[in-house]
Amino acid sequence: MTTVLVTGADGQLGQCIQNITHQFPSLDFLFADRNTLDITVANDVLDFFDTHAIDWCINCAAYTFVDKAETEIEKARIVNVVGTQNLAKACKVYDVKLIHISTDFVFDGKKNVAYTENEATDPLNIYGRTKLQGELEISSILKQHYILRTSWLYSEFGHNFMLTILRLSKENKELKIVDDQIGRPTYAGDLAKFIMQLIVTDTSEYGIYNYCNEGIASWYDFAKAIVEISKINIKVVPISSDVFPTRAKRPTFSVLDNTKAKEVFNSKLVYWRDSLVVCLRNLNSST
């Protein structure tokens, strides 16, 4: 049986993977959170790999506080760079294939067409820089890797934009949401399924892949869809980013081109609004 280690298992992607494990009886899963496996401690990582027969590692562990990272630089670096490096080294020693989750924030967002995997990177913030450095560490250490860049990840779990909008809509009569940042909202449940497909297919087509839901939206479009689908009677007002300044600079256009993932893995990607309907339905059925 193939054994799959999932780090950062208590995050939203890790929980989405846990939700679908029953669909893959040929896979045996090890779910590790920070208490079980601290990826920032090299010896702990090596010991864990030494005591478990692992075939695949899905690294969902990350420091994702984009604004906090501007002041918590070392915390972001330790997790996103050192932790990733530790996993890549252990995977090399124990002949484990690594699937690592990265971000659209490795780009500066100054283009107006979708970014392919081969575009020049130029992060605008500390979070993006540490995630890019993590990618570079993997590429320099381990051949057997897949780096999956995704964007605007949300789900029924954890902390994300969708859940924040649902909460704020109960506390306010009006929501002001920026409309000049464009990307691809991506349901973590869809990403989880793609990762499982990647493992089961096992094509050995290693490298960097973009994976997002299809279609594009602004944060305003995303928020508007959330309240409309949820039938929440609240006014959503579009505003400029200048009106809502954040500590970390964000790319204005971070749409990722999904062509490579669709062609290599023969994947049919779902339109973002359709996936949002599914996610909200799942959320409502679990409450």
Side-chain angles (χ1 to χ4, degrees), residues 89-279:
K89 288 181 177 178
C91 286
K92 183 175 182 179
V93 171
Y94 292 95
D95 194 26
V96 175
K97 297 175 183 178
L98 175 63
I99 299 173
H100 175 73
I101 311 304
S102 193
T103 174
D104 56 328
F105 277 25
V106 299
F107 297 112
D108 61 15
K110 295 179 181 179
K111 290 182 57 179
N112 57 7
V113 293
Y115 286 88
T116 68
E117 291 83 353
N118 297 323
E119 303 279 356
T121 52
D122 188 18
L124 297 178
N125 53 50
I126 297 298
Y127 167 70
R129 288 174 200 159
T130 58
K131 291 298 289 182
L132 176 59
Q133 187 59 42
E135 289 187 9
L136 296 173
E137 292 292 340
I138 292 171
S139 299
S140 68
I141 294 168
L142 182 68
K143 177 183 178 183
Q144 299 181 121
H145 73 266
Y146 300 88
I147 294 170
L148 306 182
R149 290 175 178 159
T150 191
S151 65
W152 297 22
L153 209 61
Y154 70 93
S155 71
E156 308 93 312
F157 310 106
H159 302 281
N160 58 68
F161 183 79
M162 183 195 77
L163 295 179
T164 298
I165 291 298
L166 292 175
R167 175 177 56 81
L168 291 176
S169 66
K170 296 176 181 178
E171 303 170 355
N172 300 274
K173 295 181 179 179
E174 179 180 278
L175 298 178
K176 295 181 179 179
I177 310 294
V178 297
D179 68 346
D180 53 2
Q181 294 175 21
I182 310 297
R184 293 191 193 272
T186 303
Y187 177 35
D190 290 336
L191 178 55
K193 291 176 183 177
F194 176 75
I195 292 171
M196 293 302 102
Q197 175 195 359
L198 192 158
I199 292 174
V200 171
T201 305
D202 194 12
T203 63
S204 300
E205 295 286 344
Y206 305 120
I208 299 175
Y209 291 86
N210 295 333
Y211 181 90
C212 306
N213 283 131
E214 294 282 62
I216 64 173
S218 67
W219 289 112
Y220 165 77
D221 296 327
F222 193 10
K224 188 83 170 169
I226 293 166
V227 299
E228 285 178 354
I229 294 167
S230 302
K231 294 182 170 57
I232 298 171
N233 185 21
I234 188 171
K235 186 177 182 181
V236 184
V237 180
I239 61 170
S240 165
S241 298
D242 295 336
V243 179
F244 188 67
T246 54
R247 184 175 294 165
K249 290 182 65 177
R250 286 163 167 77
T252 56
F253 186 91
S254 62
V255 175
L256 300 178
D257 188 318
N258 288 319
T259 303
K260 182 180 176 184
K262 289 189 286 188
E263 291 180 348
V264 173
F265 300 107
N266 195 29
S267 296
K268 294 181 180 179
L269 277 62
V270 186
Y271 180 63
W272 71 267
R273 191 176 173 111
D274 294 336
S275 286
L276 178 59
V277 170
V278 172
C279 182

